[in-house]
Amino acid sequence: MPVGGLVPRAVENAADVVVRNAKIHTGDARRPQAGALAIRDGRITAVGDDTDVAPLVGPSTTVVDALGRRVVPGLNDSHLHVIRGGLNYVLELRWDGVTSLRHALTMLREQAARTPKGQWVRVVGGWSAEQFAERRLPTPAELNEAAPDTPVFVLHLYQSAILNRAALKAAGYAKDTPDPKGGQIVRGRGGEPNGMLLAAPSALILYSTLAKAPVLEGEDRRTSTRHFLRELNRFGLTSAIDAAGGFQNFPENYATVTELAREGLLSLRIAYHLFPQTPGQELDDLTRWIETVRPGDGDEWLRLNGAGENLTWAAADFENFAEPRPELTPYEEDFEKAVRLLMENGWGFRLHATYDETIRRDLAVFEKLAAEGLFPSGNRWLFDHAETVSPESLDRIASLGGSLSVQNRLSFQGEVFTRRYGPGVAADAPPVRAMLERGLTVAAGTDATRVSSYNPWVALHWLISGRTVGGLTIRPPQNRVDRATALAMYTTAGAALTGEQDVKGVLRPGCYGDLAVLSHDYFTVPEQEIPHIESVLTVVGGRIVHAAAEYEGMDEELPAVSPAWSPVARFGGYQVSGPAPGAGARQAELLGQVVAESELHRRWRAGRGPATEHHQPFDPCFLL
């Protein structure tokens, strides 16, 4: 962008990119604010004001006038299933950000008409019934009406999935299909599956059903991953720590990001974890990996960070808050062997642990190994989630050298969590302030894509406001954080979990040239508007990887979305709903939705025949 007053000149060490006329939050305590910066060879070379960067503008320098916008360090999601998400992104219809079920079903109906025979329509995470004006899930009947012949699979959190008749048939669910362990196939009066699958409490039934749908192959996987990374760049994300997960095998499912990294086509820095996939074979997998790769292998774009988020399947608790907390069988023997193996070989790890009961059992194993000198040993390790972790457990984590990564799962599940455990427990789920007060490294993330949305600003809003996407305030002021602290949890803390705190998460000379120019000033915008922030320009290592608004066209060109019938080709990813309306506008919006629902219900009743139509008042009081 040509900028008056900055004249390119032949200079040594000219910058590749200069950002000027900005309100830069550097994240660096030594210089927290600045107006301009320069990037060369992927690293920041100068931070100051316009006069400081003017001498660095050469003939080939890209000069970006930020137009007074807020600039922040690139965001880093510390718990994102980015590899798995990328392999499936273009196949999924995203309801993230959709504000009414009526609109969501309209999208589904249109996509079903575009989807070729043999393919599924799948809505996989990123939404909650509480975000809809109707405050409810779709019914199997509504899915059947929207898509009579195309299989439809709709995943709702860790709790349930709704399938239409075509999907039940494609998945092979019939009257004689037994319920899998930990799951339930809901049935009608005759015993036939009615389209509802319940995690009771294990989500394996949900994910194993989804695994029966067709997958992408070859070049489509690369295209899907590149578009997903661009979608993350859209919100200012420049790094993520991949938490692996079920149905993500190493090395085959990591091949796409590895190829893209080799070709210099990643637009997001990824530190990944390895997750043993087969119960009973975990120690064999870990042993084989330890002999093959080591944490830190790779480069600044793609690197191994350790094991997890499961080490042994038996040690993982389930997080379906619609069900009681699961009672885990004894798992300590194999779990101890896995932890010992990792610690003795210099491997870090992360552990999925929702409940304090699980965390206490894990800590007992660590303390046993600490007596042998294996904790703390310098290996990076952390607990993920930790919604009900106790103060005593936090003290034990601190003494053993651990860290934490928290996600905004309760911004999507806060209502059901509160109904089960009460507002008192929900107020401290998780106890973020107590974690920070102990000096623990506490990084933030989303746990996207199959539960929460990947939009980091929704997670930041939850940390700051304590409110769910449905508007329920569950976390009181004493368990919230200010905007600067929340941003640090999304930048410097995530860098610490990968050992990159000296080069990532702050904007100072010598650090990576990773930043986001924001659509609205995160530090001054009204709190309710934080979820609607996006990046208008995202830079990773001096590369412009996303550009919108005045900067449209400055980013790298991507191949067209394929296949052509992809939901992303029609609808994109996260659905922009616009600024939150005021109270009066919101009331009118909700009333309009109710009226629309009432009219749909009237038509349904009329379609059922005269027997269900009541033309006269049925209450005698109305006859007087």
Side-chain angles (χ1 to χ4, degrees):
M1 179 176 291
V3 178
L6 287 181
V7 181
R9 65 194 71 185
V11 295
E12 292 185 11
N13 300 320
D16 299 319
V17 175
V18 161
V19 178
R20 65 168 297 272
N21 188 22
K23 292 186 292 186
I24 301 175
H25 173 84
T26 67
D28 182 3
R30 290 171 290 185
R31 181 164 192 166
Q33 304 293 330
L37 59 78
I39 302 169
R40 177 182 171 84
D41 294 332
R43 303 276 184 135
I44 296 172
T45 57
V47 176
D49 56 29
D50 285 1
T51 59
D52 296 314
V53 300
L56 302 176
V57 177
S60 61
T61 301
T62 299
V63 179
V64 176
D65 187 339
L67 302 174
R69 288 190 170 100
R70 174 65 65 184
V71 175
V72 298
L75 303 185
N76 184 352
D77 190 320
S78 67
H79 188 118
L80 175 65
H81 297 278
V82 60
I83 293 174
R84 185 177 66 194
L87 294 177
N88 296 282
Y89 175 62
V90 301
L91 291 177
E92 296 173 353
L93 178 66
R94 305 304 306 181
W95 283 356
D96 309 46
V98 176
T99 57
S100 78
L101 178 58
R102 186 165 178 250
H103 181 204
L105 289 171
T106 298
M107 294 170 65
L108 192 149
R109 182 180 296 106
E110 182 177 338
Q111 181 56 38
R114 301 175 66 248
T115 301
K117 184 177 178 61
Q119 292 289 341
W120 294 27
V121 176
R122 58 199 96 182
V123 179
V124 186
W127 65 281
S128 167
E130 302 298 337
Q131 79 191 44
F132 293 148
E134 300 89 342
R135 305 284 175 151
R136 68 174 180 85
L137 301 176
T139 65
E142 287 172 320
L143 300 190
N144 287 326
E145 189 277 329
D149 304 311
T150 304
V152 174
F153 175 97
V154 177
L155 177 69
H156 184 239
L157 307 174
Y158 292 114
Q159 300 172 13
S160 60
I162 309 105
L163 285 69
N164 66 351
R165 282 188 294 266
L168 288 172
K169 182 178 180 181
Y173 290 135
K175 185 175 182 179
D176 57 353
T177 304
D179 288 347
K181 183 179 179 181
Q184 181 184 354
I185 302 170
V186 181
R187 304 171 193 273
R189 286 187 294 272
E192 295 287 345
N194 74 351
M196 292 295 300
L197 304 180
L198 301 181
S202 170
L204 184 60
I205 184 177
L206 311 180
Y207 297 152
S208 61
T209 302
L210 179 59
K212 298 179 181 182
V215 298
L216 293 171
E217 301 291 347
E219 192 63 29
D220 283 344
R221 285 189 168 204
R222 290 165 53 89
T223 300
S224 179
T225 296
R226 293 187 67 186
H227 277 275
F228 182 51
L229 299 185
R230 175 67 61 87
E231 174 74 354
L232 299 177
N233 299 149
R234 166 189 168 193
F235 295 100
L237 281 161
T238 59
S239 292
I241 309 177
D242 186 85
F247 300 93
Q248 184 172 313
N249 292 294
F250 179 82
E252 52 266 37
N253 292 133
Y254 293 70
T256 298
V257 293
T258 301
E259 291 171 6
L260 293 174
R262 188 180 301 120
E263 298 169 26
L265 295 176
L266 290 180
S267 64
L268 187 87
R269 305 183 193 274
I270 300 173
Y272 62 88
H273 285 254
L274 300 183
F275 181 133
Q277 293 296 307
T278 307
Q281 191 179 303
E282 298 97 331
L283 289 173
D284 293 336
D285 285 343
L286 292 172
T287 301
R288 186 175 68 256
W289 295 336
I290 283 171
E291 294 171 350
T292 306
V293 291
R294 293 186 61 82
D297 282 356
D299 56 26
E300 63 191 53
W301 288 96
L302 183 67
R303 56 192 285 143
L304 172 65
N305 199 50
E309 61 182 297
N310 277 1
L311 303 184
T312 61
W313 279 87
D317 53 17
F318 302 112
E319 58 280 32
N320 178 4
F321 299 127
E323 295 281 338
R325 178 183 61 82
E327 295 292 341
L328 302 182
T329 57
Y331 62 80
E332 282 79 358
E333 182 177 353
D334 282 346
F335 181 72
E336 179 183 332
K337 292 177 182 177
V339 175
R340 180 186 298 276
L341 178 66
L342 295 169
M343 297 300 285
E344 288 179 343
N345 286 276
W347 273 57
F349 59 88
R350 65 190 310 159
L351 285 173
H352 169 105
T354 301
Y355 302 101
D356 190 55
E357 289 80 357
T358 307
I359 292 171
R360 291 201 307 265
R361 291 173 65 174
D362 293 351
L363 289 171
V365 172
F366 301 164
E367 286 164 345
K368 179 181 177 181
L369 296 176
E372 303 176 25
L374 293 179
F375 284 86
S377 65
N379 294 10
R380 293 186 300 274
W381 69 272
L382 64 136
F383 280 114
D384 279 305
H385 315 312
E387 273 85 0
T388 68
V389 65
S390 65
E392 295 76 17
S393 292
L394 291 177
D395 291 336
R396 295 165 71 187
I397 293 168
S399 68
L400 291 167
S403 302
L404 293 134
S405 174
V406 299
Q407 298 76 44
N408 62 314
R409 303 195 303 181
L410 290 198
S411 68
F412 291 85
Q413 303 179 82
E415 287 82 358
V416 68
F417 186 95
T418 302
R419 287 194 293 270
R420 177 163 297 281
Y421 296 107
V425 176
D428 285 325
V432 176
R433 287 286 286 272
M435 295 173 179
L436 293 169
E437 287 166 0
R438 285 164 171 78
L440 288 160
T441 296
V442 186
T446 58
D447 200 9
T449 62
R450 291 186 173 178
V451 184
S452 305
S453 172
Y454 49 73
N455 185 343
W457 301 102
V458 174
L460 285 159
H461 176 257
W462 172 78
L463 287 167
I464 295 160
S465 71
R467 294 173 70 87
T468 70
V469 295
L472 176 67
T473 301
I474 59 173
R475 297 168 60 250
Q478 59 267 30
N479 194 31
R480 304 177 203 163
V481 297
D482 60 43
R483 300 188 192 200
T485 301
L487 186 61
M489 293 170 66
Y490 241 101
T491 51
T492 54
L497 295 188
T498 57
E500 298 174 283
Q501 60 272 19
D502 293 333
V503 293
K504 185 188 287 188
V506 295
L507 299 176
R508 66 169 174 245
C511 290
Y512 295 153
D514 300 354
L515 59 87
V517 182
L518 303 183
S519 59
H520 299 85
D521 190 340
Y522 165 70
F523 289 101
T524 61
V525 71
E527 187 177 271
Q528 68 271 20
E529 302 301 330
I530 292 174
H532 303 287
I533 293 174
E534 295 188 22
S535 173
V536 294
L537 190 84
T538 305
V539 179
V540 187
R543 289 167 48 202
I544 297 176
V545 296
H546 166 74
E550 294 87 352
Y551 313 104
E552 186 172 352
M554 293 179 66
D555 50 5
E556 302 163 348
E557 186 176 4
L558 290 182
V561 174
S562 61
W565 55 266
S566 161
V568 174
R570 171 64 182 87
F571 299 103
Y574 190 94
Q575 301 294 298
V576 178
S577 57
R586 179 61 175 162
Q587 184 182 51
E589 177 184 297
L590 292 175
L591 180 60
Q593 293 292 344
V594 170
V595 170
E597 283 284 292
S598 178
E599 173 61 16
L600 289 174
H601 184 63
R602 186 197 66 76
R603 294 179 186 174
W604 173 82
R605 289 176 58 205
R608 301 271 290 185
T612 60
E613 281 288 322
H614 298 279
H615 299 286
Q616 299 297 326
F618 62 88
D619 190 327
C621 292
F622 288 103
L623 299 175
L624 298 178

